Amino acid sequence: MFGGKGGLGKTTFSAATAYYLAKQGKRVLVFSVDPQASLSDIFKKDIFGKGPTEIMPNLYAQEIDADRRVREYQQEIRKKIIDMYGMDKIPDEIESYIQAAAAEPAMEESAIFDEVVDIVVHGGYDYYIYDLVPLGHALYYLSMASVYDEWIDKITNLRQQMREYDQVAAVIRRDKELDEDAILNELLYIKERINKSSGILTDKEKTAFFFVLTPEQMIINDTLKAAELFAKFDVPLSGYIINRVLPPELKTQKIPEYLKNRLIMQDKYLKVIDEVFKDQILASVPEMERDVTGLGMIEKLADKMFF
């Protein structure tokens, strides 16, 4: 997983890492849940909402269409209600609630979270590169597993208690069998999926999380705060990658005053990064001469990251 503030290079690093691993012969899926994701731009291929799309041998990319996922999510809810309660159709008042809930941010986030669980649990790739949304939202997504787990625990316990009462009542009534509890089974199914996906995301043997930062005071401060918050959710932090480092050889060249000042500022904050993050810095990637789009530039960036 690559995380950090918006606009620092998470998506390009995700694409370059996926490219590097695919070139090593690994089957890789790079995916994003960010509604403003730019994997389509980076790979120069419209992949939005199209599911895993082959970019080159071994490399697949996916951008999740949140709106479509919400519609599918609504349809799944309707089907489950009909199946569980043996209805012919959804009552109007429940349909109104389902429609209204679609406008809530929580519905979109819940649907996207469910899609991520699907991707992680489904399998089929050697590596999954998760291009996270910017920091605040990323924390929200990562915290959803623990929030859902706690909520489902409470609901499941309550449902199990009701089930016990039903069983006692069935004995008193001398009923031979008690119907299967579809709601309890559904809750247990959701809980199993969440536990499996959060288990993968927090397993240091299976998952690595990298922070992307640039040599600027505000970015360093935000990254430090975010690292502390991520640690609370047991996200396995593997290191930091510094992006957009200006070439130091510029100092010996005739350059504008603006650029000289940028170099002085950069030197100052590179020292701060060195002191603060020490041996956790994995790579220092230079400012590229142009946008990283197309496989040629992605390969160039991958060379800077991994060699």
Side-chain angles (χ1 to χ4, degrees):
M1 292 188 285
F2 285 93
K5 288 195 73 163
L8 297 186
K10 297 187 301 297
T11 309
T12 49
F13 282 1
S14 297
T17 304
Y19 176 91
Y20 170 77
L21 291 169
K23 279 288 184 182
Q24 308 304 306
K26 307 297 182 187
R27 186 175 162 86
V28 186
L29 174 67
V30 54
F31 68 98
S32 175
V33 299
D34 188 345
Q36 296 181 330
S38 48
L39 285 172
S40 286
D41 296 330
I42 289 172
F43 288 120
K44 291 186 172 179
K45 191 167 190 172
D46 181 14
I47 60 170
F48 183 72
K50 292 181 167 55
T53 305
E54 186 173 24
I55 303 297
M56 61 183 233
N58 292 324
L59 173 54
Y60 295 78
Q62 181 174 1
E63 284 178 342
I64 294 169
D65 179 347
D67 290 339
R68 191 181 73 185
R69 186 59 185 149
V70 166
R71 291 194 296 274
E72 291 172 353
Y73 204 56
Q74 287 177 300
Q75 193 51 36
E76 287 169 18
I77 290 170
R78 289 187 190 100
K79 184 174 184 311
K80 282 172 184 172
I81 290 173
I82 287 172
D83 289 347
M84 283 179 187
Y85 295 100
M87 297 173 173
D88 294 327
K89 59 172 283 200
I90 297 290
D92 290 344
E93 58 272 26
I94 295 179
E95 179 60 34
S96 298
Y97 175 77
I98 292 172
Q99 292 291 340
E104 294 288 332
M107 172 69 93
E108 179 178 315
E109 285 156 351
S110 176
I112 291 174
F113 177 79
D114 206 44
E115 179 85 6
V116 172
V117 173
D118 270 349
I119 290 171
V120 173
V121 171
H122 184 264
Y125 297 91
D126 298 314
Y127 285 91
Y128 295 85
I129 312 293
Y130 186 176
D131 172 28
L132 280 170
V133 287
L135 282 176
H137 288 295
L139 278 167
Y140 188 80
Y141 281 120
L142 293 171
S143 68
M144 282 184 81
S146 57
V147 171
Y148 272 16
D149 193 43
E150 193 174 328
W151 178 77
I152 286 176
D153 258 349
K154 286 182 181 173
I155 300 292
T156 304
N157 288 338
L158 183 62
R159 192 73 196 177
Q160 281 171 332
Q161 285 174 19
M162 290 171 62
R163 182 72 174 166
E164 287 169 11
Y165 294 143
D166 287 345
Q167 284 172 332
V168 171
V171 170
I172 293 170
R173 292 196 305 267
R174 297 179 183 275
D175 291 345
K176 288 182 180 177
E177 291 182 0
L178 195 63
D179 292 339
E180 191 176 5
D181 190 333
I183 294 175
L184 181 59
N185 288 344
E186 179 66 18
L187 287 169
L188 291 172
Y189 169 72
I190 295 170
K191 183 175 170 58
E192 183 194 350
R193 276 165 48 85
I194 289 175
N195 285 345
K196 194 169 179 182
S197 65
S198 62
I200 293 170
L201 292 175
T202 56
D203 184 343
K204 291 183 180 177
E205 297 295 319
K206 295 179 179 173
T207 301
F209 178 85
F210 305 99
F211 264 118
V212 180
L213 75 163
T214 54
E216 296 168 71
Q217 182 66 64
M218 288 294 289
I219 303 298
I220 295 169
N221 292 347
D222 286 345
T223 303
L224 271 171
K225 287 177 194 168
E228 289 173 8
L229 289 170
F230 273 61
K232 289 182 182 175
F233 295 107
D234 297 323
V235 177
L237 180 56
S238 299
Y240 300 82
I241 303 173
I242 312 169
N243 195 19
R244 295 183 184 153
V245 178
L246 295 169
E249 57 267 25
L250 285 175
K251 293 174 192 170
T252 60
Q253 300 172 13
K254 190 176 179 180
I255 54 175
E257 199 65 23
Y258 163 79
L259 204 47
K260 282 181 188 170
N261 290 334
R262 294 292 299 180
L263 281 164
I264 292 169
M265 184 191 81
Q266 173 179 283
D267 282 349
K268 176 183 172 183
Y269 292 121
L270 282 175
K271 284 176 187 166
V272 173
I273 290 173
D274 240 4
E275 290 167 6
V276 172
F277 300 106
K278 298 178 181 172
D279 56 356
Q280 296 179 84
I281 299 165
L282 301 176
S284 182
V285 179
E287 179 84 85
M288 304 298 279
E289 69 272 20
R290 66 176 179 83
D291 287 345
V292 179
T293 56
L295 291 181
M297 281 302 289
I298 292 171
E299 180 182 18
K300 202 169 180 179
L301 181 64
D303 286 346
K304 303 287 184 189
M305 289 176 70
F306 295 101
F307 296 101

